[in-house]
């Protein structure tokens, strides 16, 4: 049997991706922030033009699922009226910016988006991470070029894969980030339309002196749990997915929404956790210990359903543990290694300990997995 197809690109709004349940349309809010009106408008559009399911991606974007091809133009018009559509596909593709939700980086994100009009054509998955708050949160989040907090307290510009970066001021960071993107292309970082900065650095490439430096980044913070924070109320979504009604209810709180790369939403400035069906606010909830992709039939690559199995197995995952259930060997929902991974094979699930979805492991039928996870004979 042939392996899963690697698309090599991510969906956008202007370039949606066909999937098993219709088109997947990715919305990239500016600086990861949605006003209540924008959130309510997205919820209404998702219900009217799609199947009402909305995913929160690992880069803090929203993906509307099940969009019917004949409704795509209407959806784009609705999102455009909300100020959420780029002028063209090239601009949408370049504006791949992840902003730490606890950082006041809206102005920097806007300046970087403007500067990216002068950027070269970059690989579809190439992205920028703005991690400029008092603490550094995006260490485990994809980002090829990073503007982040340095160990001495200032900002640094760092090519992903390098241990250190150069000190920068916020006003000069966008132009230097674009210059580093040009160097990536000139150094042969993109091959056949693909490529990542860390891979180029691993091959021994070194950015020029004025784009390098010897300052390490600040210590990395682990992903936070849901709950109240000084910045607001952080609520989680099981498997990073919600119904349109859930997004509508979040919008009705009246707070701006900050989308996070941890499949959580920050209600900016909220002082109490909302009681909204479909959200998780208890840090001890077992569903926070499982990750699962869309699975079959929503994803045509998946060899089996995933989320019902992950939900059933969640209580068997010990506190502090992590279970990744993947519909195929690509492991899109969690590309890194996990303490325990189950990968659908078509004849059952491969059980992989301390590995990735693509690693080998003994295959078991789904019915046997609960006993295996609890240690029963």
């Amino acid at each position: 049997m042939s392996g899963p197809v690697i698309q090599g690109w991510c969906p956008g709004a202007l370039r949606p991706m066909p999937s098993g349940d219709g088109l997947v349309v990715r919305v990239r809010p500016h600086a990861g922030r949605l006003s209540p009106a924008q959130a309510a408008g997205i919820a209404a559009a998702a219900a009217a033009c799609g199947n009402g399911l909305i995913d929160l991606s690992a880069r803090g974007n929203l993906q509307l699922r099940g969009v019917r091809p004949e409704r795509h133009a209407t959806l784009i018009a609705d999102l455009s009226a909300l100020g959420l559509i780029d002028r063209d596909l090239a601009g949408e593709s370049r504006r791949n910016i992840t902003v730490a939700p606890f950082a006041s980086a809206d102005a920097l994100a806007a300046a970087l988006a403007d500067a990216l009009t002068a950027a070269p054509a970059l690989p579809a998955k190439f992205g920028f991470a703005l991690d400029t708050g008092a603490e550094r949160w995006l260490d485990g989040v994809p980002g090829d070029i990073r503007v982040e907090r340095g160990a001495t307290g200032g900002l640094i510009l760092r090519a992903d894969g390098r241990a250190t970066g150069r000190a920068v001021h916020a006003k000069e960071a966008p132009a230097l980030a674009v210059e580093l993107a040009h160097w990536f292309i000139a150094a042969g970082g993109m091959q056949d339309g693909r490529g990542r900065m860390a891979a180029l650095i691993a091959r021994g490439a070194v950015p020029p002196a004025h784009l390098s430096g010897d300052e390490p980044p600040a210590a990395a913070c682990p992903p936070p749990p849901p709950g109240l924070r000084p910045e607001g109320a952080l609520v989680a979504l099981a498997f990073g997915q919600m119904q349109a009604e859930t997004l509508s209810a979040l919008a009705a709180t009246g707070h701006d929404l900050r989308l996070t790369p941890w499949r959580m939403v920050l209600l900016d400035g909220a002082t109490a956790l909302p009681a909204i069906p479909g959200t998780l606010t208890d840090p001890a909830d077992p569903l926070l210990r499982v990750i699962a992709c869309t699975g079959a039939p929503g994803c045509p690559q998946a060899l089996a359903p995933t989320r019902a199995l992950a939900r059933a197995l969640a209580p068997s995952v010990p506190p502090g543990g992590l279970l990744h259930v993947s519909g195929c060997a690509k492991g899109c929902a969690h590309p890194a290694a996990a303490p325990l991974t189950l990968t659908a094979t078509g004849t059952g699930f491969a059980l992989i300990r301390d590995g990735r979805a693509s690693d080998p492991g003994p295959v078991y039928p789904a019915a046997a997995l609960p006993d295996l996870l609890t240690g029963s004979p």
Side-chain angles (χ1 to χ4, degrees):
M1 180 181 295
S2 61
V5 177
I6 299 175
Q7 301 288 358
W9 58 282
C10 296
L14 299 176
R15 187 192 184 192
M17 180 179 286
S19 193
D21 55 356
L23 298 178
V24 177
V25 174
R26 178 173 291 188
V27 181
R28 297 173 176 172
H30 294 274
R33 182 188 295 273
L34 291 172
S35 69
Q38 287 176 319
I42 291 174
C49 300
N51 60 15
L53 292 178
I54 302 171
D55 292 329
L56 185 54
S57 80
R59 292 194 181 188
N61 298 311
L62 290 180
Q63 293 187 162
L64 281 56
R65 300 198 63 90
V67 174
R68 301 183 294 280
E70 68 274 12
R71 298 287 291 170
H72 181 243
T74 299
L75 175 63
I76 295 302
D78 291 344
L79 296 176
S80 181
L82 296 169
L84 295 169
I85 297 297
D86 292 277
R87 288 182 297 179
D88 53 37
L89 181 57
E92 177 183 78
S93 300
R94 288 189 180 96
R95 193 175 58 82
N96 198 5
I97 304 170
T98 303
V99 179
F102 310 132
S104 299
D106 292 27
L108 179 58
L112 177 58
D114 288 342
L116 287 175
T117 59
L122 293 165
K125 293 182 178 290
F126 195 97
F128 300 79
L130 301 183
D131 201 1
T132 60
E135 298 175 297
R136 194 168 67 93
W137 292 98
L138 300 184
D139 183 63
V141 176
D144 296 270
I145 295 176
R146 298 176 179 272
V147 180
E148 59 191 355
R149 189 62 56 187
T152 59
L155 296 181
I156 64 171
L157 173 73
R158 183 169 64 91
D160 195 41
R162 287 185 61 82
T164 59
R166 63 152 285 179
V168 293
H169 297 292
K171 289 185 178 180
E172 64 180 338
L176 288 172
V178 171
E179 192 172 348
L180 188 54
H182 278 284
W183 171 81
F184 168 83
I185 295 297
M190 184 164 69
Q191 299 175 354
D192 298 325
R194 302 182 185 183
R196 304 301 300 270
M197 179 68 80
L200 176 63
I201 298 298
R203 296 199 297 268
V206 179
H210 73 288
L211 296 176
S212 302
D214 56 6
E215 183 171 346
C221 296
L228 289 177
R229 294 183 48 84
E231 301 87 358
L234 195 60
V235 300
L237 304 166
F239 312 119
Q241 188 172 82
M242 59 182 155
Q243 300 278 349
E245 294 84 357
T246 303
L247 181 57
S248 181
L250 290 169
T253 65
H255 295 278
D256 280 2
L257 307 186
R258 296 297 302 263
L259 307 181
T260 82
W262 313 297
R263 298 181 171 93
M264 291 190 273
V265 176
L266 177 70
L267 298 176
D268 203 9
T271 57
L273 289 168
I276 296 176
T279 64
L280 308 176
T281 56
D282 181 0
D285 195 308
L287 286 174
L288 296 174
R289 303 196 286 268
V290 292
I291 298 173
C293 62
T294 298
C299 175
Q301 304 289 330
L303 300 175
T306 56
R307 288 183 173 166
L309 176 62
R311 191 178 290 273
L313 295 177
S316 301
V317 182
L322 179 66
L323 168 66
H324 174 205
V325 182
S326 183
C328 75
K330 287 197 298 182
C332 297
H334 188 71
L340 190 64
T341 298
L342 298 172
T343 302
T345 67
T347 59
F349 283 82
L351 192 154
I352 303 152
R353 298 188 185 276
D354 298 317
R356 295 173 170 81
S358 57
D359 292 335
V363 177
Y364 300 95
L369 295 173
D371 287 343
L372 287 169
L373 264 62
T374 56
S376 300

